[in-house]
Amino acid sequence: MAEVNLLARLPKSKRNVKAREHAKTDEHIRVSREYGEMYFDGPREYGYGGYRYDGRWVPIAEDMIAHFGLKPGMRVLDVGAAKGFLVKDFMIACPGLEAFGLEISEYALKHCEPEVVGRLHLGNAVSLPFPDHSFDAVISLNTLHNLERPQLITALQEIMRVTKGGKAFVQVDSYRNEEERAIFLDWVLTAHTHDYPDGWLKLFDEAGYTGDYFWTLIS
């Protein structure tokens, strides 16, 4: 298990944290946690503010392919695949790689990229609908923290179950000091579980998670 930033080449998003701080309400949180049209393609205060493909995940897919030694014919799973952007870019970065995704949002699946139709499965991370050790690597980016702690532990165990040789990578919301924690709490809409890195490492250990990891830090 190692801390590694596999999203280093992802362009930084512009976040108006102060605007979210003053505009966020319980209704915004409730609607965003439905993971429907408002979350993906509605106003920014409900989520992404328009979730559209632009190819930015291709270099991320390249780095993940290199990190895990993925080759054509191997299988990779993205847990929390949304509209399938990373799944698509895995196939662009490595033609012949068998990339699949799992997503809880029916809206996202109905508005996925054409190239990934049939590769995205509707489901929850706490019960992955795949056989043991059926993927050469499993990825989950900014998804698992949306679960309550007990379900999150189960989801990590599920990732370990379906991957081979412990090859996995998860990225979750975190903060390194009280100032970053305050900024995070002003911004967050969907996360049920969040902690300092040391707290996450204890959770990973409790779950028996032995894959790689990194943190999403709001600044």
Side-chain angles (χ1 to χ4, degrees):
M1 186 166 69
E3 179 177 319
V4 54
N5 185 6
L6 293 182
L7 273 66
R9 292 203 283 163
L10 186 69
K12 300 297 182 183
S13 299
K14 294 181 179 179
R15 297 183 171 98
N16 189 337
V17 178
K18 285 299 179 184
R20 173 75 61 85
E21 172 190 359
H22 297 297
K24 187 173 70 173
T25 65
D26 289 344
E27 180 67 5
H28 288 110
I29 294 171
R30 184 192 67 78
V31 171
S32 69
R33 286 177 174 170
E34 293 176 351
Y35 304 109
E37 181 177 6
M38 292 293 284
Y39 176 70
F40 286 100
D41 294 318
R44 182 62 162 148
E45 57 263 33
Y46 289 96
Y48 286 104
Y51 194 62
R52 302 175 183 88
Y53 180 80
D54 59 8
R56 70 176 57 197
W57 291 97
V58 171
I60 309 309
E62 292 172 346
D63 290 347
M64 290 180 173
I65 288 164
H67 180 73
F68 289 114
L70 299 176
K71 296 177 173 58
M74 290 184 170
R75 291 164 53 88
V76 60
L77 175 67
D78 180 14
V79 176
K83 296 181 182 180
F85 297 168
L86 179 57
V87 173
K88 175 179 175 175
D89 287 352
F90 268 129
M91 296 188 294
I92 291 173
C94 182
L97 180 64
E98 295 294 334
F100 300 90
L102 182 95
E103 173 56 41
I104 198 171
S105 168
E106 291 187 25
Y107 174 84
L109 266 61
K110 289 177 181 177
H111 295 81
C112 70
E113 290 295 290
E115 295 86 351
V116 301
V117 170
R119 291 183 173 272
L120 302 186
H121 298 260
L122 180 67
N124 194 302
V126 300
S127 182
L128 299 179
F130 307 105
D132 294 356
H133 313 305
S134 52
F135 291 94
D136 296 283
V138 179
I139 313 297
S140 186
L141 307 177
N142 301 317
T143 294
L144 298 184
H145 51 229
N146 295 329
L147 299 169
E148 300 281 3
R149 182 185 173 93
Q151 289 73 35
L152 197 160
I153 288 173
T154 300
L156 287 168
Q157 293 168 342
E158 281 287 274
I159 287 173
M160 287 288 94
R161 179 182 65 80
V162 302
T163 195
K164 298 177 183 177
K167 290 187 175 182
F169 176 79
V170 301
Q171 183 151 326
V172 290
D173 283 339
S174 191
Y175 29 77
R176 296 164 295 191
N177 51 55
E178 280 299 320
E179 181 180 1
E180 287 186 352
R181 184 176 185 274
I183 293 171
F184 168 80
L185 292 175
D186 287 339
W187 179 258
V188 65
L189 287 169
T190 58
H192 283 286
T193 304
H194 49 86
D195 209 333
Y196 293 92
D198 285 350
W200 276 115
L201 293 176
K202 290 177 183 177
L203 189 152
F204 293 160
D205 185 62
E206 182 179 346
Y209 176 76
T210 59
D212 299 326
Y213 56 87
F214 204 66
W215 324 114
T216 294
L217 302 167
I218 307 300
S219 59

